[in-house]
Amino acid sequence: PPNTTPSRKKMQVGIVGASVAGLSMANVLIRHGFRVKVFEAFDHGFQNRGGALGFVDMEILNEIRGNNNAPVARFTDRGATFYGTLWKFLYEGLPEGSVRFGAPVQSLLDADSQRPKIVLEDGSIHPFDFVVGADGGRSVVRSHVVGDDAAEAKYSGYVVYRGLVNGTTEVNHPPRGSADFGKYHYTTLGFPCRNEKGEILWNCGVYMPLSIQYVDKIPGKNRQVSSNSKSVPEWFLPLMKRLFPNKPAVDFWTVCVEKGKVSQHPVFEFGANQVTHNNLLIVGDAAHMISPRTGSGAYSAMLDAVALDEVLQRNSDLGQALNEYAIDGSKRAQQFYRHSLSKKREFMPLDVFDSPSPEALLEAKEDDIYPTKGLFW
């Protein structure tokens, strides 16, 4: 059971970022008696955003929300889980008003003190007893925990282009296929899921080595990565046809470009050497940026929340709890980092950090690219 000491009920916790990591932490901390406020840059929730998750661990979700009577049918009758469904489940576990949307965090003040302050872009200052950075790849909290020299995430050399399209279109299923170009490997795969409205969506990704000049170099707010590009590059569809010339793949990506959504997600690599500093804590992508290829992004963030839940149960003193969390938290961040690196080997050598341009592939000789026949369900 939660360790709700009287002193905790007076303690105020500020969480930066209302993604799965931030909401998971909020659920745990509120159950332990803390007064929690979550600051989110976007002006609305994420129940209708994102793609499909490979699986959801209901045991971990119940630990985080602490409510075995919470409705779980949405996770058991739809196959793969839509990100927005998971987000909404965690959001519904919080008291009304716990999340302040449209409140981008600019910086921290007095980060080394026992009363760090969150500074919003509107200039307002909010002091807390404890601050959690769940603000993704472009974390404003991270450098205060690990130091400026160790805070930078590095581009891995490959990206994911995610395609999402309504299942009522003329495509039957997301395709699967792969191709090789020298020492570089390209893969497309996907699966169906249902969104919060119950609509079937085809969710598909293309993992592809891509020169850094074609990607957004800065991870997006509260996300592992996101591109600021508003349109699909002109080279994208011709390249899909060149890499995956089978009809299911060509049809799917054509429909995605014309009627669905295609977004770029560059994969950055980072594993924190420490995850706490005084009364600061970093979790999720702020602590460990893990490749979507692992299928563990949301899962790893929820594991952070479960770990905090466990140390808070054992320690009534917040400082002792954070000290205990720090040991396994740092190890966990490095494990996720190594796991993410291992996935890079599927697409390119580990010692390579730049990749061919789309033009190089489109101009390559026919024998230089070796596509395999696409499989589909």
Side-chain angles (χ1 to χ4, degrees):
N3 186 346
T4 54
T5 62
S7 61
R8 286 184 178 177
K9 294 180 180 180
K10 298 179 181 179
M11 296 192 72
Q12 297 177 312
V13 181
I15 299 178
V16 185
S19 61
V20 166
L23 296 190
S24 295
M25 284 287 169
N27 273 271
V28 166
L29 288 162
I30 287 173
R31 286 198 296 104
H32 281 276
F34 294 94
R35 297 161 60 188
V36 175
K37 175 63 72 173
V38 184
F39 297 93
E40 171 53 47
F42 289 99
D43 58 7
H44 53 76
F46 305 140
Q47 60 268 33
N48 296 314
R49 293 173 63 95
L53 304 173
F55 76 100
V56 172
D57 189 320
M58 286 309 306
E59 183 177 350
I60 286 181
L61 264 186
N62 282 329
E63 286 187 57
I64 291 171
R65 274 199 46 171
N67 181 6
N68 291 327
N69 296 319
V72 298
R74 69 186 83 176
F75 299 108
T76 59
D77 65 352
R78 299 182 178 184
T81 298
F82 184 62
Y83 175 90
T85 300
L86 174 61
W87 184 90
K88 185 178 179 181
F89 182 80
L90 293 169
Y91 181 73
E92 289 173 345
L94 303 177
E96 186 176 353
S98 297
V99 181
R100 178 175 170 181
F101 295 103
V105 174
Q106 183 179 65
S107 61
L108 297 185
L109 289 177
D110 301 327
D112 293 328
S113 73
Q114 296 301 307
R115 189 76 171 160
K117 300 177 179 66
I118 290 176
V119 182
L120 301 186
E121 288 188 0
D122 64 9
S124 60
I125 299 175
H126 305 264
F128 291 96
D129 298 295
F130 173 35
V131 171
V132 179
D135 45 344
R138 192 162 53 188
S139 172
V140 299
V141 181
R142 179 193 289 161
S143 63
H144 295 285
V145 174
V146 304
D148 291 334
D149 294 340
E152 183 180 0
K154 295 182 179 179
Y155 175 53
S156 64
Y158 70 100
V159 306
V160 184
Y161 269 95
R162 178 179 293 145
L164 201 63
V165 67
N166 194 291
T168 60
T169 56
E170 53 265 39
V171 294
N172 294 321
H173 284 285
R176 287 190 171 190
S178 61
D180 291 318
F181 178 62
K183 56 188 176 183
Y184 301 97
H185 184 71
Y186 303 78
T187 295
T188 182
L189 72 164
F191 41 82
C193 66
R194 290 183 184 269
N195 62 15
E196 267 297 295
K197 300 177 181 178
E199 300 168 333
I200 296 177
L201 301 175
W202 301 140
N203 178 90
C204 191
V206 175
Y207 290 85
M208 54 183 296
L210 187 65
S211 176
I212 194 170
Q213 63 180 309
Y214 293 88
V215 305
D216 179 3
K217 299 179 183 180
I218 303 175
K221 291 182 179 178
N222 305 324
R223 299 292 172 274
Q224 207 274 351
V225 237
S226 66
S227 172
N228 293 327
S229 176
K230 296 293 184 181
S231 60
V232 180
E234 292 183 2
W235 51 261
F236 179 79
L237 192 53
L239 184 57
M240 294 303 97
K241 294 177 179 179
R242 181 74 194 273
L243 292 172
F244 316 113
N246 61 87
K247 190 175 187 301
V250 171
D251 289 349
F252 177 85
W253 285 110
T254 300
V255 171
C256 259
V257 169
E258 295 176 352
K259 301 180 179 181
K261 177 183 178 181
V262 177
S263 55
Q264 186 198 79
H265 299 262
V267 177
F268 283 74
E269 295 167 346
F270 177 78
N273 53 13
Q274 63 184 68
V275 295
T276 66
H277 175 69
N278 292 337
N279 283 16
L280 304 179
L281 168 66
I282 52 174
V283 298
D285 290 335
H288 40 75
M289 299 177 72
I290 189 166
S291 170
R293 183 66 165 179
T294 66
S296 302
Y299 179 70
S300 67
M302 291 190 290
L303 285 180
D304 288 341
V306 170
L308 183 64
D309 182 28
E310 292 173 350
V311 299
L312 287 173
Q313 290 180 41
R314 292 193 292 267
N315 299 276
S316 59
D317 180 76
L318 177 61
Q320 292 176 351
L322 290 179
N323 287 338
E324 185 177 334
Y325 180 93
I327 298 172
D328 288 336
S330 299
K331 292 179 180 178
R332 192 165 52 252
Q334 290 299 311
Q335 288 171 349
F336 289 142
Y337 174 63
R338 290 192 293 271
H339 186 31
S340 190
L341 279 180
S342 72
K343 293 301 177 181
K344 177 178 176 177
R345 294 191 185 98
E346 297 182 16
F347 310 108
M348 57 194 299
L350 283 180
D351 58 350
V352 174
F353 291 91
D354 204 3
S355 309
S357 67
E359 290 81 4
L361 276 86
L362 289 171
E363 296 171 1
K365 297 178 181 178
E366 185 174 350
D367 293 341
D368 290 340
I369 297 179
Y370 302 91
T372 61
K373 185 177 181 180
L375 304 177
F376 57 95
W377 302 339

